[in-house]
Amino acid sequence: MITTMKDPSLNNYHQSKIALGGEVTLNLVSKLDIKSIDKIYLELWSYIDNFEIRFSRFKHDSELSRFNRGAGTKQYVGQEFIDILMVSKKYYEITKGLFNPFILPALQKAGYNKSFVNKSEDNLDDFSKRAVIKANLIKLGSDWAMIPYGSAIDFGGIGKGYLADKLTDIIKNYDVEGYWLSLGGDIVVNGVSSKSTNWIIDIQDATKPKEIVGKLKLPKNFYSGVATSGTIKRKGIHNNKKWHHIIDPRTLEPAITDIKSVTIATKSGIEADILATCAVILGYKKALIFLKEHKVKAALIQYEKDNSTLSLKTVGNLIELNR
């Protein structure tokens, strides 16, 4: 059971639970009564749960899993499925292939075959022998989609960002002064904090999560997406070989990179989600150029210098370092 936590002097509400492969936290600032706030939370959590049921690759009966099993055939899908595929094609072109939803076979081949939260799911499809192809080969209609035979897609690099942006559409229908929504490593914020000040997000040390290396101060009443991506959390050993979950589409292997973690702020959850992962793939020097080209508002790159020392580099002027 989820309990709504409130600071009565600040009109600040807070709910958290495990979902989407990690902890999801929804924080709202509003003068509404608790009954009205619980109604908002019910709608938000229902949307999140439904999204996970439909689009998780770790659920055998999800819409995504069924779609992958039907590769090579025209399949009728929901509007959100079509929307995600359209955005995927768009960012495949924008990032020149660094983002590619067809990366699932390479992910599974590397060893990422189980959810890090629910490892009991069985009867999952093995697409590791399928091909990683170009995202512009996705075919779309008004109510259908098709991917080539022998391919498979994954929404891991875009799904949370897309979902975060959609949740804000729900919040717009209510009298909410501000909010921050955290879907694991993806955050969206708008409005003001409970003290009518800017939202400030702590940035964890990539190798020592209990330590804070910087603070990201976001503009008031301005919608922002913030995403953190790195090679530290989702990793393992498969066939006596170390792996992490960020696949380089150019090599079809876990990215060889000196970046441990990158946090970026930009105009939407989707864009932040995608660009953060691309930055990790590129490595420190090329990521600096890439992030500036894509006009991110702010970024903090935590990278390994000389294979030993963890160094910090900021892009933009919204981040204050603690050291």
Side-chain angles (χ1 to χ4, degrees):
M1 181 177 179
I2 306 171
T3 302
T4 302
M5 306 299 291
K6 179 190 178 186
D7 183 331
S9 65
L10 300 176
N11 299 313
N12 192 72
Y13 299 87
H14 177 94
Q15 285 192 2
S16 296
K17 76 172 186 177
I18 299 300
L20 307 170
E23 184 174 24
V24 174
T25 300
L26 311 177
N27 194 94
L28 304 176
V29 177
S30 177
K31 296 177 182 178
L32 293 172
D33 59 80
I34 192 72
K35 185 176 180 180
S36 299
I37 287 294
D38 280 339
K39 179 183 177 182
I40 301 174
Y41 274 121
L42 178 61
E43 189 171 352
L44 292 174
W45 287 121
S46 295
Y47 196 99
I48 291 169
D49 292 341
N50 182 259
F51 189 90
E52 184 169 21
I53 289 170
R54 292 177 61 197
F55 300 124
S56 173
R57 72 176 175 94
F58 297 114
K59 296 184 181 298
H60 184 262
D61 291 327
S62 71
E63 186 175 0
L64 176 62
S65 294
R66 295 196 303 271
F67 183 78
N68 281 330
R69 289 195 292 273
T73 62
K74 180 179 177 180
Q75 302 179 70
Y76 291 96
V77 293
Q79 185 58 53
E80 287 178 321
F81 202 109
I82 292 173
D83 289 346
I84 297 173
L85 289 177
M86 288 179 64
V87 176
S88 294
K89 291 183 70 174
K90 171 185 173 181
Y91 276 95
Y92 174 80
E93 298 295 338
I94 288 174
T95 65
K96 299 178 181 179
L98 281 177
F99 166 75
N100 189 342
F102 282 105
I103 210 69
L104 179 55
L107 266 174
Q108 290 187 326
K109 187 176 181 180
Y112 194 5
N113 301 308
K114 290 284 185 180
S115 167
F116 277 80
V117 174
N118 182 14
K119 298 183 180 181
S120 62
E121 183 76 52
D122 56 10
N123 197 31
L124 293 178
D125 299 294
D126 180 6
F127 300 121
S128 61
K129 294 183 180 179
R130 292 193 178 186
V132 177
I133 62 175
K134 296 179 179 180
N136 55 16
L137 295 177
I138 297 172
K139 295 182 179 180
L140 297 171
S142 60
D143 59 355
W144 61 269
M146 185 171 70
I147 57 175
Y149 178 79
S151 66
I153 59 174
D154 173 48
F155 290 152
I158 189 175
K160 289 182 181 179
Y162 176 88
L163 173 57
D165 289 336
K166 296 296 286 186
L167 292 175
T168 66
D169 291 336
I170 294 174
I171 296 175
K172 289 176 184 177
N173 296 322
Y174 297 94
D175 186 13
V176 173
E177 298 169 34
Y179 59 84
W180 63 265
L181 314 177
S182 174
L183 313 183
D186 295 87
I187 299 172
V188 289
V189 305
N190 204 350
V192 295
S193 74
S194 55
K195 297 179 181 179
S196 296
T197 58
N198 305 68
W199 288 112
I200 297 176
I201 298 174
D202 290 337
I203 302 175
Q204 296 175 319
D205 187 300
T207 56
K208 302 173 183 177
K210 292 184 179 180
E211 295 186 12
I212 303 302
V213 296
K215 294 181 182 295
L216 173 60
K217 186 176 182 179
L218 295 165
K220 289 183 181 181
N221 300 309
F222 196 86
Y223 185 65
S224 299
V226 180
T228 296
S229 184
T231 61
I232 301 296
K233 289 186 177 181
R234 287 178 170 80
K235 60 182 179 179
I237 298 176
H238 181 66
N239 292 333
N240 297 317
K241 186 178 179 181
K242 292 182 179 180
W243 64 270
H244 59 76
H245 76 296
I246 298 181
I247 300 295
D248 186 338
R250 301 167 300 184
T251 65
L252 304 185
E253 297 284 345
I256 298 175
T257 177
D258 54 356
I259 292 180
K260 294 298 182 184
S261 175
V262 58
T263 299
I264 76 168
T266 186
K267 63 184 179 182
S268 71
I270 287 177
E271 185 171 80
D273 195 0
I274 291 173
L275 297 186
T277 300
C278 291
V280 174
I281 292 171
L282 287 169
Y284 167 64
K285 290 184 178 180
K286 291 183 179 179
L288 287 176
I289 300 171
F290 176 83
L291 294 175
K292 289 176 182 177
E293 285 178 345
H294 289 276
K295 300 179 181 179
V296 301
K297 299 175 186 175
L300 176 60
I301 303 174
Q302 300 184 53
Y303 65 102
E304 207 169 43
K305 187 176 182 179
D306 302 324
N307 297 318
S308 58
T309 306
L310 190 68
S311 297
L312 307 176
K313 177 66 177 180
T314 59
V315 176
N317 57 3
L318 301 178
I319 294 175
E320 298 177 1
L321 297 180
N322 288 0
R323 55 178 175 173

